[in-house]
Amino acid sequence: MRKFRLRAGLTQEELAEMSGVSARTISQLETGKRGAPRVASVRMLAQALSLDAEERATLLNVTAGHTEDGDAGDPSPKPMTTARPQRKKCFLPRGVPDFVGRKAELDRLLGPAAAMRTESMAVTVVDGTAGVGKTAFAVHAAHLLAERYPDGQFFCDLHGFTPNRGPLDMMAALRALLRMADVPAERIPASLDERSAFWRAALAGRQVLVVLDNVGEPGCVHPLLPGTAGSHVMVTSRRRATTVDGSTSISLDVLRPDEAIALFVETAGRDRTCDELDAVAEIVRLCGFLPLGIRIAASRLRSRPSWTVSRLAERLRARAYRLSELDADGEHGVAAALMSSYRVLNADQQKLFTQLGHHPAVHFDAHSVAVFAGMPLRQVERLLDELVDHHVLMEPVAGRYTFHELLRDHAKALAISAGPPDDRADPIDRLLAHQM
C-alpha cells in the first residue's frame, strides 16, 4: 500500500484524512504489524488513492487474512480466509471412463513443445460441432495435465449451448470461480472489472489450470483469464475462436471408424457386440461417427436386453427415425444438441440453414446456393462462412460446402416444418436453370 500512497504524493496523515481510516492503521498496514482491515476500510483507502480496478483488487488480495478491530466507523468484524486457492485444489469433473481416440490432439497438449510454454499464460480453444466430444476431451486432457498445475484446477460450465437454459454471464462465472478460489462471498467485488482484476490478483504467482466449458462466444472469456505466466486456460465452444489473442485452436472432427467402433463396444459392452461387429460398423456410420450419437445408440442397446446389434442397426437404417432413435431423454439427445446450435444463429443464418435442408446436392458452392436461395452472392458467401464458424456446416475443400449427415437430417426437418418458400419460383427450378 505504501507505493500507492507515495505515488499519490500523500503522507499517512493526509491519506487518513481523505479516507477516514486512522493514520495508525495505515502505518501498521504499511509496516506489516497489523492484520487485514475490514473490506470497507480497504475500499475507502482504494478510493482515496484513486486506484484502478486491478490495483484495487491487488490491495484487497494482499491485505486478505484475519480481521482485527479498531477502524472507526466500520461494521462489526467478520473472520476472513485468504483469497489464494489452496494447493491441489481440484474442481474438475470426473472423466468419462470409455474415452477413446484423439491421440493427435492430446499430443499437441501434452507433448514437449506444450510443456515448454511457461513464459506466458497458455490458452487453448477446443471447438467443434455439437456432440463431437469437446467437453469429454477437455476434461480428459485436464486430468492428464493436472500435475503440471499444482496450485489448482478449476472448471466452470458457461452453458452457452445448454438446452432450456440461458448462458452464464461473466459476473456469475467470476463469482463461481472466486468462490472456488476460497474468496468469501462478502469479499467479491460488485463490478465486472473489479471481479476480473480480483480473480487475476487471487491467482498471481500461481500455476493453475482453468477449464471454461460450453462457451457461447470464445471472445467473451477475456475477463475470466488469469494473468500469470505458467497457467493454462482451456475453452470449449461450438464457435471457432477468432477473437482470443494468442490462443491455440484445436478443432475436433468426428471419430475415425475404428475409434467409433471402439467407443460403441466399450459403452454397449463387449459381450453384446463381439459377434456382430459388422452391424456395429454400420451403426457408427449411421451415427455419422459422432460421439454423442454413438454413446446414445450404445446405451439404448445396453438398456434393451432383448435387442441385438442388428435390430438396432435396422431401426437406425430407417432414415425418418434416426434422430428420434438418438434421443436420450428429450433434452440430452442429438436433436436437442443440434437445435441448441440452431437457436444461437441469427435470423439470416437460420433462414439459409433451413433453406439448405431442401438443397438436392450433397456438396454445393456459393454460386449454386445463391441461385437456389434467391439471395445476393456476397450475402450468401458471408452467411456460408458464418455457418462454418458455427460448426453447423463443413467446408472440406475451399469453396465447397456440405453438411454432417445428422445436421443435414436436422436441416431437412426444419425445412419441412417451415413449409414451402415464400416466393412462387421453385428453388429447384432456379437451380436447374442455372446449371443448364
Side-chain angles (χ1 to χ4, degrees), residues 355 358 370-375 419-433:
Q355 286 179 303
H358 284 307
V371 172
F372 181 80
M375 298 170 61
D422 295 334
D423 58 351
R424 295 182 180 180
D426 185 271
I428 302 295
D429 291 342
R430 285 199 303 262
L431 187 59
L432 291 174

Side-chain angles (χ1 to χ4, degrees), residues 289-306:
F289 306 105
L290 192 70
L292 176 61
I294 293 168
R295 289 183 186 280
I296 292 173
S299 297
R300 284 180 67 80
L301 178 66
R302 191 178 59 210
S303 65
R304 302 292 198 280
S306 62

Side-chain angles (χ1 to χ4, degrees), residues 272-295:
R272 297 289 303 279
T273 57
C274 62
D275 295 330
E276 295 186 274
L277 291 181
D278 288 343
V280 170
E282 182 182 10
I283 287 172
V284 299
R285 180 184 60 78
L286 291 168
C287 291
F289 306 105
L290 192 70
L292 176 61
I294 293 168
R295 289 183 186 280

Side-chain angles (χ1 to χ4, degrees), residues 232-291:
H232 192 156
V233 178
M234 296 179 63
V235 178
T236 74
S237 180
R238 297 182 194 178
R239 292 285 306 275
R240 295 184 190 275
T242 57
T243 55
V244 183
D245 295 337
S247 63
T248 299
S249 293
I250 295 179
S251 292
L252 296 186
D253 202 348
V254 295
L255 295 173
R256 298 197 317 261
D258 59 324
E259 296 171 340
I261 290 172
L263 176 59
F264 186 93
V265 169
E266 289 296 321
T267 306
R270 295 181 180 276
D271 57 328
R272 297 289 303 279
T273 57
C274 62
D275 295 330
E276 295 186 274
L277 291 181
D278 288 343
V280 170
E282 182 182 10
I283 287 172
V284 299
R285 180 184 60 78
L286 291 168
C287 291
F289 306 105
L290 192 70

Side-chain angles (χ1 to χ4, degrees), residues 21 37-45 74-75:
V21 178
R38 283 173 289 280
V39 177
S41 298
V42 178
R43 286 177 176 163
M44 288 190 293
L45 289 168
D74 284 346

Side-chain angles (χ1 to χ4, degrees), residues 343-405:
R343 285 183 178 136
V344 302
L345 302 177
N346 65 37
D348 289 339
Q349 294 164 349
Q350 288 183 349
K351 180 180 179 180
L352 184 59
F353 178 85
T354 302
Q355 286 179 303
L356 289 173
H358 284 307
H359 200 290
V362 174
H363 293 84
F364 38 83
D365 61 17
H367 288 276
S368 68
V369 172
V371 172
F372 181 80
M375 298 170 61
L377 177 60
R378 288 190 177 182
Q379 183 183 11
V380 167
E381 289 175 334
R382 174 178 57 80
L383 289 173
L384 289 173
D385 282 343
E386 291 169 357
L387 293 178
V388 170
D389 286 341
H390 277 274
H391 281 290
V392 295
L393 200 63
M394 298 186 296
E395 189 180 12
V397 178
R400 299 286 293 175
Y401 303 90
T402 189
F403 280 113
H404 181 276
E405 198 168 346

